[in-house]
Amino acid sequence: MKTNLSSKITLTKIPKRFYHPANAYEHSVLARFEKIPTYIYESIDEGSASVAHHIADEIRKSSRESRNFVLALPGGRSVRCVFNEWIKMYKKRELSFENVIVFLVNEFYPLTSEANSNLAHLRETFLNHVNIKKENIHYPDGFMNKDEIYDYCRRYEQDIDNAGGIDYLLLSIGHNGRIAFNPPGTAISSRTHLVLLDSDSRKEAAQRFHSIDNVPSSIITMGLSTILKAKNVVLLSWGAGKANDVHHTTEGKAGDNYPATCLQSHTSCQVITDIQAASELTRISRPWLVSSCEWDTKLIRRAIVWLCKETGKPILKLTNKDYTEHELSELLALYDSAYNVNIKIFNDIQHTITGWPGGKPNADDSNRPERAAPYPKKVIVFSPHPDDDVISMGGTLRRLCDQHHDVYVAYQTSGNIAVGDEEVIRYCEYLRDVCDRYTKDETVRRKAVEIIDFLCNKKVEGEPEIADVLFMKGTIRREEARTAARYSGVKDANIRFLDLPFYETGTVQKNPLGEADVAIIKQLLQEIKPDQMFVAGDLADPHGTHKVCLDAVLAAIDDLKGEQWLSQCRIWMYRGAWAEWEMDHIEMAVPISPEELRFKRNAILKHQSQAESAPFLGDDERLFWQRAEYRNRATADLYKLLGLASYEAIEAFVRYFPV
């Protein structure tokens, strides 16, 4: 069973020489806009392994020289694969940590429980699995008295100095360029200090604490001066969601409004990324500015869209001069004139637009993204959470139903941890009152009262949810999903809740994808044998559930690829909750009228538990319906900018071809 097929999706064929130059000269030419040495790997595992092995070599070297090795570590997720690699080396007796001294980069303050602390996370993911001496582990105290903070921070700096200074410091980039939670405006001279967390930082931390209300108000963190004093700094950044941060950090103007840019002045700093996180770097996103290119239709489309934005002109008004002045003379040489390039790309983008996402029956489909036959089609929409279907493709979902296709919606996870306790209390109070009025059976009433009492008086922060609470939260999301799908036109019999087992841990931390998850998807596919599938390709999802759900579907498809029906099935990937497809990738664009956009908004609003009080809204202050409308309108505006028809909104899709 292949469980990581999403990592094989390459929408843009990037020549290896752009992210893995053959020599130092090639690297200097391609990376000339980058102010920090940046190394790009094909996957998180490959990049993490490279970092882990390099630092392991340094640890061994210091051990041979009979000296300590001082390592500063953050408490986030970006270093987990590095930790896993070190643990493997330790268990194989290839590496000892006996001479390693660890300093924790930051710790939340004030803590009420150690369970959610960075120290607890570091112990769980790394420290408890290797032979670092207990006395060699240093960390800020999240429980100290407030009047001790200043002296404690000063002593923490002294402890670092006494240890000989930090040999290697691992970091990741947070919202608005935060490093080690130092916010915009932090002085370059800052040392270990207390930082009050703003709303964005607290939202970033909400996943650890299950709710933003549980996140401590502050954090004790190493300052920018402390970071810059480290002998070596490694900045790890993974996934498409970090692409803008990597670009700004490495190519942007240094300034205190974006703290990570201070690393541009460090004499031994490296940025380590995967291709997705590096996607906004000039050598990856606009390679024509640094070298000659291997032009294909997607790269040409990206270049033309960029040129339209740079010049403020629609496609058909671009001139030879525009191409020449913006380093795109290669295209003129290939196509003889701007007109020839313009008309090719205009027609290419024009053919992505269709009001018939399931295919228009009895029509010439040679220039349409979806086939005319068969009609009607059996369609499955896979939704990772119980609301991703309407958030990301609510207009298309309604259009498919209105055009009489046999549409199924399969909700892959229960979404039960993404419901606030107050929602459960409200539903249980309703249940208690109904029992008081209509029945003398005490069983249901007693259970409702027990749940209310537990949530109000007995729940311990950081512990997994109990089964009864998970059931109530899952039920709330299930009925909201059913209501929204029914409102969109899906038949009740076609609404399926898969409740994939990997998700059902009761905590934010989920299990790895397993055979049981894939078997559930396979059973559904073999039952329905769809002609068309829609899956979530929104890999920028900060919580990782979308990726696991996509991997589950792709693994099932891989296991079934010998089936005749599957060879005739088209698979479309949607985005929308966290990001949108770039124009060079869009292969189907479904226009949405103002009335359809209103219907989509109403469908999203059926998910009442995911409004303002939802625990995991991410670092975007807007509600999901606002994000969806913004992205759909932005896509329509881009089509208009390029000189195509003007629509209220557009939902975009990219086709997936099984590996």
Side-chain angles (χ1 to χ4, degrees):
M1 182 181 71
K2 299 176 181 176
T3 59
N4 192 28
L5 287 171
S6 65
S7 66
K8 305 294 183 184
I9 297 173
T10 52
L11 300 179
T12 302
K13 294 179 180 178
I14 303 168
K16 194 167 185 176
R17 69 184 182 90
F18 283 100
Y19 63 87
H20 198 277
N23 51 56
Y25 174 78
E26 285 293 322
H27 188 276
S28 64
V29 170
L30 295 171
R32 63 179 179 268
F33 289 100
E34 297 161 22
K35 302 166 187 174
I36 304 175
T38 303
Y39 300 93
I40 306 168
Y41 293 85
E42 291 188 358
S43 69
I44 297 173
D45 289 341
E46 184 183 344
S48 297
S50 175
V51 171
H53 283 274
H54 174 72
I55 295 178
D57 287 342
E58 295 297 317
I59 293 173
R60 295 187 192 101
K61 180 181 176 182
S62 65
S63 180
R64 289 194 299 269
E65 296 172 356
S66 300
R67 60 181 176 83
N68 289 326
F69 186 88
V70 182
L71 190 59
L73 299 174
R77 293 175 294 171
S78 61
V79 291
R80 185 168 295 175
C81 289
V82 176
F83 293 163
N84 291 342
E85 198 68 26
W86 282 338
I87 292 168
K88 287 178 191 175
M89 285 187 253
Y90 171 72
K91 289 182 176 178
K92 292 179 181 178
R93 299 188 178 181
E94 297 172 352
L95 179 65
S96 172
F97 292 86
E98 202 165 353
N99 68 318
V100 173
I101 298 174
V102 167
F103 283 88
L104 188 58
V105 171
N106 47 42
E107 183 58 272
F108 293 99
Y109 182 86
L111 289 172
T112 56
S113 167
E114 191 177 291
N116 297 324
S117 67
N118 279 339
L119 177 62
H121 180 74
L122 192 60
R123 282 174 172 158
E124 178 186 345
T125 57
F126 178 54
L127 298 177
N128 290 346
H129 306 279
V130 296
N131 63 332
I132 296 178
K133 297 175 183 176
K134 186 176 180 180
E135 61 269 24
N136 284 352
I137 300 171
H138 302 267
Y139 50 90
D141 183 358
F143 297 93
M144 76 179 89
N145 293 326
K146 292 181 180 179
D147 55 6
E148 298 175 2
I149 292 174
Y150 178 80
D151 286 339
Y152 192 97
C153 291
R154 182 181 54 78
R155 290 197 304 272
Y156 201 65
E157 287 283 337
Q158 188 62 53
D159 289 342
I160 294 172
D161 292 340
N162 292 342
I166 297 169
D167 290 297
Y168 269 83
L169 190 154
L170 272 59
L171 290 173
S172 61
I173 314 174
H175 186 68
N176 283 342
R178 291 172 176 80
I179 49 173
F181 276 95
N182 287 287
T186 300
I188 198 76
S189 60
S190 60
R191 307 181 78 191
T192 299
H193 60 138
L194 181 74
V195 172
L196 293 176
L197 295 178
D198 60 19
S199 59
D200 290 330
S201 298
R202 299 184 77 236
K203 285 174 184 175
E204 282 186 21
Q207 186 173 358
R208 173 80 61 82
F209 290 86
H210 307 291
S211 167
I212 192 170
D213 295 331
N214 297 329
V215 178
S217 60
S218 313
I219 195 164
I220 298 170
T221 181
M222 291 182 181
L224 299 183
S225 173
T226 316
I227 292 169
L228 293 174
K229 280 171 57 182
K231 296 162 192 171
N232 299 276
V233 176
V234 179
L235 189 66
L236 303 171
S237 195
W238 315 119
K242 294 294 185 181
N244 287 328
D245 295 315
V246 171
H247 173 238
H248 198 144
T249 298
T250 60
E251 297 188 4
K253 184 179 179 181
D256 62 6
N257 63 326
Y258 207 86
T261 57
C262 76
L263 296 174
Q264 293 175 10
S265 64
H266 197 285
T267 56
S268 184
C269 177
Q270 295 180 356
V271 176
I272 308 294
T273 80
D274 59 356
I275 291 178
Q276 291 181 329
S279 61
E280 291 298 320
L281 294 178
T282 299
R283 58 171 148 148
I284 304 298
S285 64
R286 298 174 296 282
W288 55 87
L289 295 177
V290 295
S291 178
S292 59
C293 296
E294 299 171 22
W295 294 100
D296 59 15
T297 300
K298 283 191 174 182
L299 186 58
I300 296 172
R301 198 201 283 192
R302 189 195 315 165
I304 301 309
V305 171
W306 173 80
L307 185 56
C308 288
K309 290 179 178 178
E310 289 290 303
T311 61
K313 293 180 179 180
I315 295 173
L316 296 179
K317 287 189 177 182
L318 295 172
T319 65
N320 285 8
K321 183 180 179 183
D322 294 325
Y323 281 80
T324 302
E325 290 181 346
H326 292 84
E327 309 295 334
L328 289 170
S329 299
E330 279 188 344
L331 290 178
L332 298 181
L334 287 171
Y335 289 91
D336 296 327
S337 71
Y339 174 80
N340 291 337
V341 188
N342 295 349
I343 200 68
K344 169 184 168 55
I345 297 304
F346 182 87
N347 288 335
D348 179 54
I349 297 176
Q350 177 71 39
H351 292 156
T352 65
I353 302 173
T354 179
W356 296 81
K360 187 173 183 179
N362 304 314
D364 178 8
D365 59 12
S366 55
N367 285 320
R368 291 179 177 272
E370 185 53 87
R371 307 148 295 164
Y375 178 82
K377 288 182 174 65
K378 288 183 289 184
V379 181
I380 299 182
V381 176
F382 285 99
S383 179
H385 298 99
D387 55 357
D388 287 311
D389 54 335
V390 290
I391 290 172
S392 300
M393 55 171 289
T396 302
L397 177 63
R398 189 177 188 88
R399 188 77 63 88
L400 288 165
C401 294
D402 288 346
Q403 291 170 355
H404 309 295
H405 295 284
D406 191 16
V407 181
Y408 292 77
V409 178
Y411 298 104
Q412 293 174 266
T413 70
S414 66
N416 53 20
I417 67 164
V419 177
D421 291 345
E422 67 278 1
E423 290 287 325
V424 179
I425 293 169
R426 181 161 64 92
Y427 276 90
C428 285
E429 287 175 337
Y430 168 79
L431 192 58
R432 178 198 61 197
D433 293 345
V434 168
C435 290
D436 287 343
R437 178 67 180 265
Y438 294 110
T439 179
K440 295 181 180 179
D441 184 353
E442 284 292 312
T443 305
V444 175
R445 185 188 188 282
R446 188 181 304 114
K447 182 59 66 177
V449 172
E450 285 177 8
I451 294 172
I452 294 170
D453 180 56
F454 171 79
L455 292 177
C456 292
N457 304 311
K458 300 176 181 177
K459 183 174 179 178
V460 178
E461 180 187 332
E463 290 190 356
E465 294 280 19
I466 62 173
D468 288 334
V469 172
L470 285 177
F471 170 77
M472 290 300 297
K473 290 185 175 183
T475 300
I476 290 169
R477 297 220 63 185
R478 179 177 292 220
E479 296 313 313
E480 289 174 345
R482 199 191 308 275
T483 302
R486 187 187 298 127
Y487 176 81
S488 299
V490 182
K491 299 173 185 174
D492 279 6
N494 290 3
I495 301 171
R496 305 295 179 88
F497 297 94
L498 306 185
D499 293 338
L500 296 185
F502 85 88
Y503 188 88
E504 299 303 317
T505 63
T507 66
V508 174
Q509 184 64 38
K510 303 305 179 187
N511 290 325
L513 181 66
E515 291 186 3
D517 303 295
V518 177
I520 292 170
I521 304 287
K522 285 173 62 178
Q523 183 179 354
L524 178 68
L525 293 177
Q526 289 172 312
E527 173 198 341
I528 298 171
K529 295 181 171 61
D531 305 297
Q532 188 183 46
M533 278 187 259
F534 290 87
V535 297
D538 209 344
L539 302 183
D541 161 33
H543 313 306
T545 303
H546 281 216
K547 182 183 185 303
V548 180
C549 286
L550 177 60
D551 280 328
V553 177
L554 300 188
I557 290 170
D558 186 68
D559 284 353
L560 297 171
K561 60 187 175 187
E563 302 269 347
Q564 176 61 29
W565 63 267
L566 186 55
S567 66
Q568 303 300 315
C569 178
R570 288 199 181 176
I571 304 160
W572 295 96
M573 297 187 294
Y574 61 79
R575 283 185 176 178
W578 306 101
E580 188 52 276
W581 294 115
E582 297 81 5
M583 178 60 76
D584 43 308
H585 301 317
I586 295 173
E587 294 171 274
M588 180 162 68
V590 181
I592 304 175
S593 69
E595 186 69 8
E596 288 170 323
L597 193 61
R598 184 176 67 82
F599 276 117
K600 174 175 177 171
R601 181 194 305 172
N602 289 342
I604 296 172
L605 290 173
K606 303 295 182 188
H607 295 271
Q608 295 179 24
S609 69
Q610 300 306 292
E612 290 91 338
S613 61
F616 303 121
L617 287 173
D619 58 8
D620 190 330
E621 292 186 356
R622 297 168 299 178
L623 302 181
F624 280 122
W625 71 265
Q626 293 171 316
R627 306 183 203 188
E629 287 193 10
Y630 172 82
R631 292 190 177 103
N632 294 161
R633 285 193 168 111
T635 303
D637 289 343
L638 182 53
Y639 271 78
K640 181 181 177 182
L641 171 69
L642 299 177
L644 291 105
S646 178
Y647 296 103
E648 179 72 13
I650 288 177
E651 290 176 340
F653 303 87
V654 171
R655 190 175 170 189
Y656 173 76
F657 292 89
V659 177

